[in-house]
Amino acid sequence: MPKDIREHICEEKIFSGIYNKYAKNLHDFLYYKFGSHLDPNDKMQEAFIKLWENCKNVKPSSARSFLFKVANNLMLNDIKHQKVVMRYKEEKPKEYTNESPEFILEEKQFLKKYQKALGTLPEEQRITFLMSKADKKSHTEIAEILGVTRRVVDSRVYNASLKLKAELEEFNNFYAKKSSKLL
């Protein structure tokens, strides 16, 4: 039976259903694309507020694309604002540690290299890889969320893994050579 054409998002039941259906996926998408430092949960909530404010103008069938576009734009705006803030932000190191200074330095360098390697991946591969590895979603679930086939997801995860492995092997090889010279 076809849905009533007059149905709109302003009805509590429909809006609630849209929220339950897309909230987690929207949050995960923002987290994987932009990271946690910009608080993807807040942007997800703001996107739903904007959807509610525009509920009469947005059809239920286009609610998902509206939410993802608004949330993405909110994050991009916040990034522009945070660029200045991040330049002047200074983190204080912990006052104590049980690790050697060399280990801490190598750990920081490895983390930077890993983040840099993730950053060099194309956006689609990075998002797909993080959904698979960090969130432990199945490739079928990822395909459904991103609106692509499972084979596309398989390919993106595989190619991302190869690129990350190559980048991190270069890093490990560099330090292996360096440490062998010290011995």
Side-chain angles (χ1 to χ4, degrees):
M1 183 174 231
K3 289 186 175 182
D4 187 2
I5 295 175
R6 293 176 288 165
E7 201 173 87
H8 54 82
I9 295 175
C10 294
E11 294 177 24
E12 183 180 346
K13 183 178 179 183
I14 295 173
F15 187 83
S16 177
I18 289 172
Y19 182 86
N20 291 334
K21 186 173 183 180
Y22 298 122
K24 181 167 178 11
N25 290 337
L26 180 58
H27 173 270
D28 291 348
F29 171 78
L30 295 173
Y31 178 79
Y32 295 140
K33 186 170 181 182
F34 298 104
S36 64
H37 65 284
L38 295 175
D39 201 2
N41 193 47
D42 280 353
K43 301 304 182 282
M44 183 255 320
Q45 294 293 339
E46 285 181 51
F48 277 100
I49 290 170
K50 291 204 181 281
L51 178 64
W52 182 254
E53 290 170 351
N54 293 293
C55 65
K56 292 187 180 184
N57 301 327
V58 180
K59 296 177 185 175
S61 60
S62 61
R64 181 184 184 277
S65 61
F66 178 88
L67 286 167
F68 277 73
K69 185 169 187 151
V70 166
N72 190 55
N73 289 341
L74 287 168
M75 288 296 252
L76 292 174
N77 290 340
D78 203 16
I79 288 172
K80 288 178 186 176
H81 172 71
Q82 291 295 325
K83 280 185 180 180
V84 174
V85 174
M86 290 175 70
R87 282 187 205 140
Y88 299 104
K89 182 179 178 184
E90 184 176 307
E91 293 183 27
K92 289 187 176 183
K94 290 190 281 184
E95 294 181 23
Y96 65 91
T97 181
N98 295 334
E99 306 297 340
S100 71
E102 293 84 15
F103 177 80
I104 294 170
L105 179 62
E106 287 179 10
E107 184 180 40
K108 286 181 181 178
Q109 289 172 340
F110 183 80
L111 182 59
K112 284 182 182 179
K113 185 67 176 177
Y114 179 71
Q115 290 173 340
K116 184 178 179 184
L118 276 175
T120 62
L121 293 175
E123 182 179 318
E124 295 84 14
Q125 279 185 1
R126 183 177 61 250
I127 291 170
T128 307
F129 179 81
L130 288 172
M131 290 175 101
S132 174
K133 302 302 180 190
D135 202 29
K136 307 288 188 212
K137 289 190 179 289
S138 71
H139 289 196
T140 305
E141 289 175 308
I142 297 168
E144 184 179 311
I145 291 168
L146 298 178
V148 296
T149 65
R150 179 159 189 242
R151 283 185 174 227
V152 170
V153 172
D154 293 342
S155 175
R156 286 179 185 174
V157 171
Y158 178 74
N159 289 330
S161 298
L162 287 178
K163 289 177 184 176
L164 290 174
K165 184 177 178 183
E167 287 286 325
L168 297 177
E169 277 183 23
E170 289 174 15
F171 181 82
N172 289 333
N173 291 339
F174 172 75
Y175 277 100
K177 288 177 187 176
K178 188 174 182 180
S179 64
S180 68
K181 287 181 183 178
L182 294 174
L183 297 175

